[in-house]
Amino acid sequence: MSRPPSPSSAGPRRGLLSLVTLGALVASTLTLALPPQARAAETLLSQGRPATASSQEGEAFAPGAAVDGNLTGTRWASQWRDGEWLQVDLGTSRNLSRVVLTWEAAYGRSYEIRTSDNGTDWRTLRTVTGGDGGTDEVAVTGSGRYVRMQGVARSGGYGYSLWEFQVYGDGGGTTPPPGGAVQVTGTQGNWQLRVGGQPYTVKGLTWGPSVADAPRHLPDLRSMGVNTIRTWGTDGSTEPLLDAAAANGIRVINGFWLQPGGGPGSGGCVDYVTDTTYKNTMLAEFAKWVETYRSHPGTLMWNVGNESVLGLQNCYGGTELEAQRNAYTSFVNDVAKKIHSIDPDHPVTSTDAWTGAWPYYRRNAPDLDLYAMNSYGDICGVKAAWQAGGYTKPYIVTEGGPAGEWEVPDDANGIPDEPTDVQKRDGYTKAWDCVTGHPGVALGATLFHYGTEHDFGGIWFNLLSGGLKRLSYYAVKQAYAGSTAGDNTPPVITGMAVSPASAAPAGGEFTVRADVRDPDNDPVGHKIFLSGNYANGDKALVEAKWRSTGNGTFAVTAPEKLGVWKVYIEATDGRGNAGVETRSVKVVAPPVAGTDVARNKPTTASSYQAQYGDCPCTPAKATDGDPGTRWASDWSDPQWIQVDLGAPTAIRGIRLIWDPAYARSYEVRVSDDGTNWRTVYATTTGNGDVDTLGVTATARHVRLHLTARGTGWGYSLHDFGVYS
């Protein structure tokens, strides 16, 4: 509950108390004033340091408001009772000379100045009685890391309230980092990140290239207006990146990885309730690198963990999941406290992937200086979630951009419908607008991703693809630097279409069409790529066999492997820019002339898997005509599968559709009686795709005799077709 303003709070504030007044107030035999020469050597030690208190009156009166340097604009206020306290952590033990307390109308009539080396054991340096508010300048002699105002008696019915709590002493102890300390300052809804005392909005990108390439790429980031990069791990290889960043006026959010990092689908199941060995190991490891890089001019802040609160759902459920999430965020708080004890000059945060993680941090990690969030398609909802949750810390967005795979509807082939280049460009602009649309709370963002990968993920998210700049690159540059005037920009691709999109024959051709224009009228070159990410898990982009048929149309040879593939058209302008567009294409088995006489006929095999994944995988599933079912053998050589056609039948071809567990060597054998067999086809170079065999014979029984596997699994067929 807020306290109504006191009439005296509107009046003039008094200056420093005279030595006579101090003599009346301070019951101590210590010297009340310092010699002029000693005073001149003093350093203000408390400003921007971590501050805590026994209580606060409300969200607007947090402890940090008393050490933010705002002398009469922000204040700490306690609950309305005697004995409340406020303390500041100086980061290391310092020799102290004086404490200046600038009281609001609710002042301490009696209080003590105490100090501690560990935050637990306290000693009293001065005792003040008969205080009358205003500004108290209290000379002290002693040392300590923590300095506390311990209230004894209030002046009235309110609590204790300080505009500013300033601790002075010598400048020994930890050396502030070059360029000045990094601080989160301000009050509820009016925070700032400050570097060396100056406001700092994070205008950043997540970092992808190798450390060795940092000197080559970081000047490019600087030209984009980027002032920050984010990493996910910090170790002995980090220093060259920090060096290159600092040389380009860029700061680094140094990440620390914790399992299960990366959110849903990521591995590493740690028991945060019981596994003290893992936690102690990580704590020691992180502390080592904080000690190593705390004074590096490239360091901006420390980020502990990545999407682990969400990711724990892969390991646990129910009440155990809740216990693990509480234990994880409590451990993050332990890490934050450890980092602060080593490095009081840089903030600590922790990233997760959904705002549902924030209540756990609020409950269990009060030592975090700010929160952090990865958000893509729903980035504009973060502000509303923060407001609805009633949070009392600011945040940064540590990953953001256009909608990801998990956020878009599926296309006609049942896979995520990737946004176009133009939509991605607009997604980055929207993301930055949403971050800056939450002033005083959202302190900036490191958008995803400055990477050079030319693969499935690189095309979806990177500002560059294979080193070529895309529309998204220039959108971020516009947001951060304010202009792209004079830049040569990428070709723009629209209207991409694939035909037939859901029935491209394996090994046959399909058509790609797109409209391509270059804003600068540069000559445009084209390439067509394929990715098997959804067909076989291979995210690499491989240039397809293709030919131009004119008017923005291309004939592309389909892979032999069945499944849904991504097809990409890349348009380059020879100026270091590229437009990239993508659609999916479903590769199906090519048609075979004739009738499948094996369909639903009696089928037997040497073995089959009764259970494993989608099994039972009985022999009959290879001849049921359903491409979604399969026969699978034991994991050994040799094996066989055969079909009884019911009567001698003229055979004009055989088609085999393999699962990834294919045969490298096999024979086709036929028989009239199921006992005496003759070989009509043999190969030792099977590749696991669709095998269409021009076998001609007349027989009742057809057998595949499988002698060498192509993988460590068994043999598996989706279709064993015999055509007449």
Side-chain angles (χ1 to χ4, degrees):
M1 186 174 95
S2 297
R3 175 171 55 79
S6 165
S8 63
S9 65
R13 310 304 296 175
R14 70 199 72 190
L16 295 180
L17 294 179
S18 68
L19 295 183
V20 174
T21 305
L22 275 174
L25 291 176
V26 182
S28 173
T29 59
L30 300 178
T31 304
L32 297 178
L34 296 173
Q37 62 271 27
R39 178 69 54 83
E42 285 181 323
T43 299
L44 176 58
L45 306 174
S46 54
Q47 187 163 312
R49 300 292 183 177
T52 54
S54 54
S55 68
Q56 63 188 65
E57 184 179 339
E59 294 178 351
F61 307 106
V67 292
D68 64 0
N70 191 341
L71 192 59
T72 58
T74 60
R75 62 187 175 92
W76 164 71
S78 77
Q79 293 294 312
W80 299 3
R81 54 182 177 250
D82 290 329
E84 300 298 302
W85 53 262
L86 170 77
Q87 69 187 44
V88 61
D89 178 0
L90 304 180
T92 190
S93 183
R94 301 294 185 99
N95 293 321
L96 308 174
S97 57
R98 63 181 170 130
V99 178
V100 178
L101 304 93
T102 305
W103 293 102
E104 200 258 348
Y107 62 91
R109 189 170 301 282
S110 298
Y111 60 91
E112 296 176 349
I113 301 299
R114 297 180 179 179
T115 188
S116 171
D117 297 317
N118 56 17
T120 302
D121 304 306
W122 296 89
R123 51 192 177 272
T124 300
L125 297 184
R126 301 300 295 267
T127 299
V128 177
T129 59
D132 61 356
T135 300
D136 292 351
E137 184 173 358
V138 182
V140 295
T141 300
S143 65
R145 170 178 170 174
Y146 301 88
V147 181
R148 172 182 288 188
M149 185 290 296
Q150 175 64 62
V152 176
R154 293 166 292 153
S155 59
Y158 305 128
Y160 302 87
S161 183
L162 282 165
W163 291 109
E164 202 70 8
F165 181 56
Q166 297 170 300
V167 178
Y168 290 84
D170 67 33
T174 58
T175 302
V182 182
Q183 306 162 351
V184 176
T185 65
T187 56
Q188 178 71 14
N190 190 32
W191 290 288
Q192 278 189 336
L193 188 66
R194 300 180 75 87
V195 176
Q198 299 301 310
Y200 187 100
T201 298
V202 175
K203 297 181 177 181
L205 291 171
T206 55
W207 174 255
S210 70
V211 170
D213 289 334
R216 179 161 61 93
H217 289 294
L218 284 167
D220 182 42
L221 271 75
R222 181 181 60 195
S223 74
M224 296 173 67
V226 170
N227 62 12
T228 306
I229 57 176
R230 179 208 173 189
T231 69
W232 291 268
T234 303
D235 56 23
S237 68
T238 301
E239 186 168 9
L241 179 61
L242 287 167
D243 290 344
N248 286 279
I250 292 172
R251 294 223 173 199
V252 181
I253 298 175
N254 293 312
F256 289 124
W257 192 262
L258 286 169
Q259 295 182 9
S266 297
C269 291
V270 173
D271 189 329
Y272 283 96
V273 175
T274 63
D275 195 343
T276 55
T277 299
Y278 175 82
K279 291 189 286 186
N280 288 339
T281 299
M282 292 299 99
L283 192 62
E285 177 75 5
F286 299 164
K288 176 174 69 174
W289 300 119
V290 172
E291 182 66 42
T292 302
Y293 301 126
R294 65 185 177 87
S295 297
H296 198 289
T299 294
L300 180 70
M301 67 178 71
W302 308 99
N303 190 7
V304 183
N306 182 72
E307 301 187 357
S308 295
V309 176
L310 181 61
L312 282 164
Q313 70 186 23
N314 302 317
C315 307
Y316 304 99
T319 57
E320 180 62 20
L321 175 59
E322 287 301 294
Q324 292 294 333
R325 284 173 166 168
N326 284 317
Y328 169 80
T329 47
S330 295
F331 175 61
V332 167
N333 196 62
D334 292 340
V335 177
K337 288 195 290 187
K338 183 67 174 179
I339 292 174
H340 282 140
S341 72
I342 301 168
D343 178 11
D345 291 310
H346 297 97
V348 183
T349 189
S350 183
T351 284
D352 224 274
W354 107 117
T355 53
W358 284 355
Y360 296 93
Y361 288 113
R362 175 169 56 188
R363 180 165 59 246
N364 302 312
D367 286 272
L368 292 177
D369 298 287
L370 69 165
Y371 298 145
M373 177 72 184
N374 293 343
S375 186
Y376 292 82
D378 192 37
I379 192 169
C380 293
V382 175
K383 175 180 178 180
W386 186 91
Q387 292 172 331
Y391 295 102
T392 57
K393 290 183 186 290
Y395 65 86
I396 56 173
V397 172
T398 42
E399 291 179 26
E405 289 178 82
W406 58 96
E407 296 174 303
V408 297
D410 288 346
D411 67 10
N413 289 323
I415 67 165
D417 192 6
E418 186 168 344
T420 67
D421 248 13
V422 171
Q423 290 169 333
K424 291 173 186 174
R425 175 200 66 191
D426 295 344
Y428 283 102
T429 300
K430 177 182 176 182
W432 184 244
D433 288 345
C434 292
V435 171
T436 56
H438 201 184
V441 179
L443 305 183
T446 53
L447 299 176
F448 192 92
H449 176 58
Y450 191 92
T452 58
E453 300 88 351
H454 190 249
D455 60 9
F456 168 83
I459 296 296
W460 196 304
F461 291 111
N462 287 0
L463 305 184
L464 301 93
S465 177
L468 299 174
K469 299 172 182 178
R470 303 173 63 186
L471 293 175
S472 298
Y473 173 98
Y474 293 98
V476 172
K477 182 175 182 180
Q478 177 68 43
Y480 289 172
S483 175
T484 58
D487 287 334
N488 185 285
T489 54
V492 179
I493 304 174
T494 56
M496 182 180 177
V498 176
S499 179
S502 298
E509 285 190 336
F510 62 92
T511 300
V512 173
R513 187 190 179 284
D515 295 316
V516 182
R517 64 174 181 84
D518 187 84
D520 307 290
N521 295 316
D522 295 319
V524 175
H526 302 90
K527 287 185 178 180
I528 306 292
F529 295 93
L530 292 166
S531 168
N533 181 55
Y534 296 111
N536 58 16
D538 185 356
K539 294 181 179 293
L541 263 63
V542 178
E543 187 167 4
K545 182 180 178 181
W546 61 277
R547 55 191 174 87
S548 174
T549 55
N551 298 320
T553 303
F554 308 89
V556 183
T557 300
E560 293 187 4
K561 177 68 178 176
L562 305 188
V564 179
W565 291 72
K566 294 297 291 291
V567 57
Y568 302 80
I569 180 170
E570 180 180 87
T572 56
D573 64 359
R575 301 290 191 93
N577 300 309
V580 185
E581 206 65 73
T582 179
R583 292 289 182 271
S584 73
V585 60
K586 186 174 183 178
V587 177
V588 300
V592 179
T595 301
D596 182 2
V597 294
R599 179 74 59 85
N600 295 320
K601 296 294 177 63
T603 307
T604 56
S606 53
S607 65
Y608 74 90
Q609 289 184 23
Q611 57 182 15
Y612 184 83
D614 58 343
C615 291
C617 299
T618 60
K621 291 186 176 181
T623 55
D624 63 0
D626 183 351
T629 63
R630 65 188 178 98
W631 163 71
S633 77
D634 288 344
W635 296 10
S636 62
D637 296 320
Q639 301 287 335
W640 56 263
I641 182 172
Q642 68 185 48
V643 61
D644 180 355
L645 304 180
T649 304
I651 300 167
R652 295 294 178 264
I654 292 175
R655 185 180 69 182
L656 308 174
I657 300 179
W658 295 100
D659 180 71
Y662 67 96
R664 178 165 283 114
S665 297
Y666 64 91
E667 298 176 355
V668 178
R669 298 177 178 180
V670 297
S671 172
D672 298 321
D673 57 11
T675 301
N676 300 296
W677 299 89
R678 58 190 183 275
T679 300
V680 294
Y681 178 84
T683 184
T684 59
T685 58
N687 61 9
D689 297 316
V690 178
D691 291 347
T692 302
L693 312 176
V695 171
T696 58
T698 298
R700 171 176 174 172
H701 303 273
V702 182
R703 171 184 283 190
L704 295 181
H705 183 67
L706 308 162
T707 55
R709 291 167 289 153
T711 70
W713 303 312
Y715 300 92
S716 185
L717 279 167
H718 284 284
D719 187 60
F720 177 17
V722 180
Y723 291 85
S724 175

